[in-house]
Amino acid sequence: MEAAGAGAGVTASRLEAPEPSDDRLFLVKGGLFLGTVAAAGMLAGFVTTLSLAKKKSPEWFSKGSTATAALPESGSALALRALGWGSLYAWCGVGVISFAVWKVLGVHSMKDFRSKMQSVFPTIPKNSESAVEWEEALKSK
């Protein structure tokens, strides 16, 4: 009788405080799931848009997919080049903004950055009740 009670206590404590390896595995699985869903959504959107463009005007679609004398660069090559330059500008822009914020705040480590952000921004309350009643805010009038 006591053995059954002891086993139930172990199970309850295991549910309350997961091991760090279980927590990390959960995060990895969640990240993989979200990445897979995002990739599937992007692929579905791209294929749908491509098929819609081909259905709408097949002659212009075929002209844009191959290089001709009038257009020395195909549409896909142009789009790939634009994507490359856009990605480079985005990465560099985020890097410059991050570096500027880092220097303006005068921090030297992530720990300093965290403490500086905690002093600048208000704390988030840890209570379980929401300050906004969403049912009332979203109710149609």
Side-chain angles (χ1 to χ4, degrees):
M1 185 94 174
E2 289 179 5
V10 171
T11 306
S13 66
R14 185 176 273 173
L15 290 176
E16 291 172 5
E19 295 178 13
S21 63
D22 291 341
D23 193 31
R24 181 164 171 78
L25 181 65
F26 178 74
L27 289 175
V28 169
K29 284 182 180 179
L32 286 173
F33 173 74
L34 289 177
T36 303
V37 169
M42 289 184 344
L43 183 65
F46 180 73
V47 168
T48 304
T49 303
L50 203 59
S51 66
L52 184 65
K54 189 173 185 177
K55 189 186 295 183
K56 205 170 204 178
S57 57
E59 63 184 46
W60 283 103
F61 185 82
S62 63
K63 282 183 183 179
S65 61
T66 57
T68 60
L71 297 169
E73 189 173 26
S74 69
S76 58
L78 179 66
L80 190 60
R81 190 165 47 112
L83 178 66
W85 280 108
S87 299
L88 177 71
Y89 290 147
W91 278 91
C92 291
V94 168
V96 166
I97 290 171
S98 300
F99 182 75
V101 167
W102 191 266
K103 286 300 180 181
V104 165
L105 291 177
V107 295
H108 301 290
S109 68
M110 286 302 289
K111 197 173 197 177
D112 290 344
F113 182 76
R114 182 176 144 205
S115 64
K116 184 69 118 175
M117 288 294 109
Q118 285 177 343
S119 68
V120 170
F121 292 110
T123 59
I124 299 172
K126 304 257 183 203
N127 62 357
S128 62
E129 286 188 29
S130 176
V132 177
E133 293 297 329
W134 291 108
E135 289 80 21
E136 291 179 20
L138 298 175
K139 189 180 352 177
S140 62
K141 295 180 180 183

